[in-house]
Amino acid sequence: MVQMWLLVCLLTLSSVALMTAVGGDVCVAGHDSGPVFEEQPSSLIYPEGLTEGKVTLSCQARANPAAAYRWLVNGTAVPLNLDRYSLVAGTLVISSPDPIRDTGSYQCLAINRCGTIISRAANLKFGYLHDFPPDGRSPQTITEGQGTFLACQPPPHYPALSYRWFLNEFPNFIRKDDGRWFVSQVTGNLYLAKAEPNDTANYFCFTTINMEVSTKSTFSKANQLTVVPDANPRKSAPTIKVRFLADTYALAGHTTQLECFAYGNPVPKVRWRKVDGLMPSKAGPTVEGPTLTLPELSFDDEGIYECEAYNSEGRDTYQGRINVQAQPEWLQVMTDSEVEISSDLQWSCVAAGKPRPSVRWLRNGQPLSTQDRVEVNGVHLRIINLALEDSGMYQCVAENKHGTIYSTAELRVQVQAPDFRLNPVRKLIPAARGGQVMIDCRPRAAPKPSLFWSRGTELLTNSTVTPDGILWIYNISRADEGKYTCFAENYLGKANSTGHLSVRDATKITLAPSNADINQGENVTLQCHASHDAAMDLTFTWSLNGVLLDLENSAGPYHRKENTGDLLIVRAQLSQAGTYVCTAQTVVDSAAASAKLVVRGPPGPPGGLLVKNVAETSVELRWSRGYDNHSPIGKYVIMGRSPLSSEWRKMRTDPVNIEGNAESARVTGLIPWTDYEFQVIASNILGSGEPSMPSHIVRTLQAAPTVAPSGLGGGGGDRDELIVTWTPMAREYQNGDGFGYILGFRKKDTSSWTEVRVPRVESSRHVYYNSSLAAYTPFEVKIKAYNRKGEGPFSQVAVVHSAEEEPTVGPSSINATALSAFEIQVSWEPVQQLSTNGILRGYEIRYWRQHEREAAADRVRTAGLEPTARVSGLRPSTRYHVAVLAYNSAGTGPPSPRTAVTTRKPPPNRPPGSVSWKAHGSRVTVRWDQVTAMHNESAILGYKVSPGSKYDLLGLGYQSAGWSTLAA
């Protein structure tokens, strides 16, 4: 009774009430919530001069009670009392926007009694594009074959422009697919790689500015370009004139474009490569062309890029570095927190970005700095000894030169007397005899309350109560049953909660699982039985290496047998080896037993694969043994792949058969100057295992070419030319960089060879020019490849003829006959086969109407040497003149004498009338009225009868009278 009296006295101690009068609106815990932005304003470019329009900056926050809104421009309050500004919910609307008054950085503040938050900054800028100045532009004159550029000199504008050029009159724009021209989207200038006489024209720079609400364009005064013809334009190697900026800074996630363009004759081509790595696949087809486009940049795209301009006369290169930077991005942010009064708070906000973002802190929209109980240390905020006035809305702001991001959280400092209503002590607490039990006591209270326990009327000692109020009871017996009460008290008040402890029989494993050893793919059963308190339900669970197994998935490998805890494992895999634990569990206790399962199978992947001693056609591989999975490794196989074949294939090795105790081998039969990666696969009597991780990519050393180019041939071309063609060498036969071709040629039946070097791997032809070269002269030609390491073998000799001359004689005895109103047949006496100046390829028929000029004649060519041809698609009743010419690869010869022919009249234009039919068993008789031909139509020779839909199965004939009998 003395203990009970002490307890009652303790509970009746007077508590200190915190009921200080608080003025103003108060944020109510559990009911109110601070503002959180759902919409924030976005930066906008508005067209200058559009005075009748409106600018809308959105702002919407979720809050309870609903938020009120204010706006700042450049840190100063927006005067919402003026007619020019209006507030729709939280959205700011600016009427008749003015560049002088309204340009600036806008932020929205959302406010309620729980706190204030401030939005990201939205920049309002005004876009404009002035007209080009009226001054004329100086004319420019260049010689055919030269390169030049025309300056755009765009007028003042904002934001950036897009550029196009047109010539002579709008909209005759220069085509983007014309490789001679290039329009820089950086400067707007128009570049011409190689001028031609027909480029003489007036050129206009056409600029366009795109804004969210409008588009505007304007064009320059004429840039007059005159190209002076040159009978023999000089050839020239490429000279790069448009260069992308070195050390270009690009933004991650965005698209960047690099420009590169060169002058030269022939017109240079441009290609790109990444000097310090592989070209990103995202570049796609733009790796060939003057503009390299890299979408959705990542940090892997950083590096040195090179553009190479090349033609048959040489090459020019330029390099620059792309540095990828990034806007801030949150890695760690704060979250809403409810913290008891007088405790400490620690928040962290961590952001990634390049350059590294700085972090600052706001409370209720105002900057927060180190003072009194507040410590601001970069990404960390710490407030000690929290007070009620620390409650509110907090924001951390990460920013670098590419952007600013905000994170928001609400802090509530709690003050509350102990309260068990949300988290009472469990009413019924079952426990197993001989076991232990933990009874929680977690009332809501702030500041933290004092906690103590009683059993019935007996106050329990602290030896069984932890500092945080948890009651532990060990080695439980029937005598421990009864009521247990937790008492909580702080200076605001006190409370208690009671639960009843019920003692049950313990659970025991009666049949434990046994260790097992199986091969991969076999089934196995692990047994598990248990005894338990009959008043409670018993469940079995299984875990593998500490991870609980899913026994409810009927399609999975694990199945539990009915009415027991036995586990069936179906078609066991290597990953299912390990320690299995069976747990028999009731609501009050559990018992467990374990067994080890060994699964034998193919070896695991070898590790630590390294490539050493790289040579021209071989490399050495070294690796470390992987798991043998309880069956000795018998042998290894090496797989490899290269850009020439994306599929993994077995490689030749030395030794040919790699024993299971080996940890190195040499790969042979590789192609020089080729990128390879390798894998190693181990196997044993149970099969082959998973391959190792691929090695790093290595490139074999360079070597001289070992094969000659194929497809050697040629011929054709202009007078005084010898054209030699071949098939460009594939990458796998190049064996090194600095690759090119050595072409040898000589007149047939002479002894001295002439050799020329063709320095481009893509080259497939060479033109040899000699003004004294006779037509259709036979040459012996041969070709070989070379690279930095040396020269390969010559190909077999082929015979190629120099360019042919046009035929010198024309056909004779030409005759033309009309076949119908639309077709004639032409025949002629063929010319003799050419021998000294070329090979006759066929004939060209020219035909033109009587009142047309011969220069406007239509032409038809035969594909062979037949001395007759049909010409169709003519007009009826029309007189045509016809001539025939022989042709070869050099062109056409002189025309034959002319002949004339008149096409026939057209067929009747009217159909037969009064068509009728009669059926007689399997026969049908059709009747119609005859048609009389007009004076301008050809005579009627007969009629054609076609079946209708009802007689699709009839075999029909026709005759020239008015009756026709159709037989089924």
Side-chain angles (χ1 to χ4, degrees), residues 40 149 302 346 447 478 576 643 674 726 891:
Q40 297 189 60
F149 80 95
E302 270 196 343
Q346 174 100 22
R478 292 288 183 183
Q576 287 151 359
T674 301
W726 62 90

Side-chain angles (χ1 to χ4, degrees), residues 606 609-611 619-623 635-641 648-656 658 662-668 670 677-682 691-692 695:
L609 181 58
L610 296 176
V611 185
V619 298
E620 183 182 346
L621 296 187
R622 297 179 184 174
W623 61 89
K635 66 176 182 177
Y636 290 97
V637 172
I638 294 177
M639 308 294 287
R641 67 179 177 185
W648 291 97
R649 62 183 182 88
K650 185 178 179 180
M651 309 301 290
R652 284 190 287 169
T653 59
D654 181 17
V656 175
I658 307 172
E663 292 188 351
S664 68
R666 190 151 197 87
V667 181
T668 60
L670 303 179
E677 56 181 336
F678 302 96
Q679 289 179 334
V680 180
I681 300 175
S692 67
S695 68

Side-chain angles (χ1 to χ4, degrees), residues 780-899:
E780 292 181 319
V781 296
K782 60 183 179 179
I783 191 170
K784 64 181 176 180
Y786 73 89
N787 60 23
R788 294 190 192 279
K789 286 294 184 178
E791 300 175 1
F794 267 116
S795 68
Q796 291 185 337
V797 174
V799 176
V800 177
H801 288 79
S802 61
E804 301 175 78
E805 286 184 344
E806 302 90 341
T808 57
V809 296
S812 60
S813 303
I814 184 171
N815 181 53
T817 305
L819 299 179
S820 69
F822 311 105
E823 187 176 38
I824 63 173
Q825 179 161 312
V826 184
S827 60
W828 57 89
E829 188 69 28
V831 301
Q832 295 299 317
Q833 278 280 5
L834 307 179
S835 57
T836 58
N837 65 341
I839 297 177
L840 185 64
R841 304 300 172 94
Y843 296 91
E844 180 177 284
I845 298 99
R846 296 182 182 176
Y847 56 97
W848 63 98
R849 286 181 288 168
Q850 183 172 8
H851 300 296
E852 293 180 335
R853 293 182 294 113
E854 183 176 355
D858 290 316
R859 305 169 187 218
V860 173
R861 279 193 172 187
T862 69
L865 302 180
E866 286 293 325
T868 181
R870 289 191 176 194
V871 178
S872 58
L874 306 179
R875 296 187 180 186
S877 304
T878 303
R879 188 168 182 79
Y880 284 90
H881 295 290
V882 182
V884 182
L885 305 83
Y887 74 89
N888 62 12
S889 65
T892 55
S896 69
R898 297 181 189 174
T899 189

Side-chain angles (χ1 to χ4, degrees), residues 261-284:
F261 190 73
Y263 299 165
N265 183 14
V267 176
K269 294 182 179 180
V270 176
R271 62 184 171 193
W272 297 82
R273 73 183 185 101
K274 193 165 187 273
V275 177
D276 51 357
L278 297 176
M279 175 66 76
S281 59
K282 67 183 72 174

Side-chain angles (χ1 to χ4, degrees), residues 464-547:
T464 58
V465 180
T466 66
D468 55 356
I470 296 176
L471 174 64
W472 282 93
I473 305 174
Y474 302 97
N475 195 19
I476 295 171
S477 66
R478 292 288 183 183
D480 293 317
E481 281 191 332
K483 290 185 178 181
Y484 290 81
T485 302
C486 177
F487 297 90
E489 181 176 8
N490 64 14
Y491 65 84
L492 295 173
K494 52 194 174 183
N496 63 79
S497 181
T498 301
H500 183 271
L501 178 65
S502 174
V503 180
R504 309 293 176 85
D505 290 335
T507 302
K508 296 179 181 179
I509 297 293
T510 58
L511 178 59
S514 301
N515 295 338
D517 188 331
I518 61 172
N519 289 337
Q520 179 177 310
E522 294 179 349
N523 299 344
V524 66
T525 298
L526 301 179
Q527 294 181 310
C528 186
H529 298 176
S531 63
H532 66 292
D533 191 308
M536 293 182 293
D537 292 331
L538 177 69
T539 59
F540 288 92
T541 60
W542 285 85
S543 65
L544 170 58
N545 298 327
V547 178

Side-chain angles (χ1 to χ4, degrees), residues 35 109-112 114-118 363-365 392-395:
L109 280 75
I111 309 156
N112 75 356
C114 293
T116 301
I117 55 174
I118 190 168
R363 177 166 61 193
N364 292 327
M393 301 302 298
Y394 288 75
Q395 292 174 285

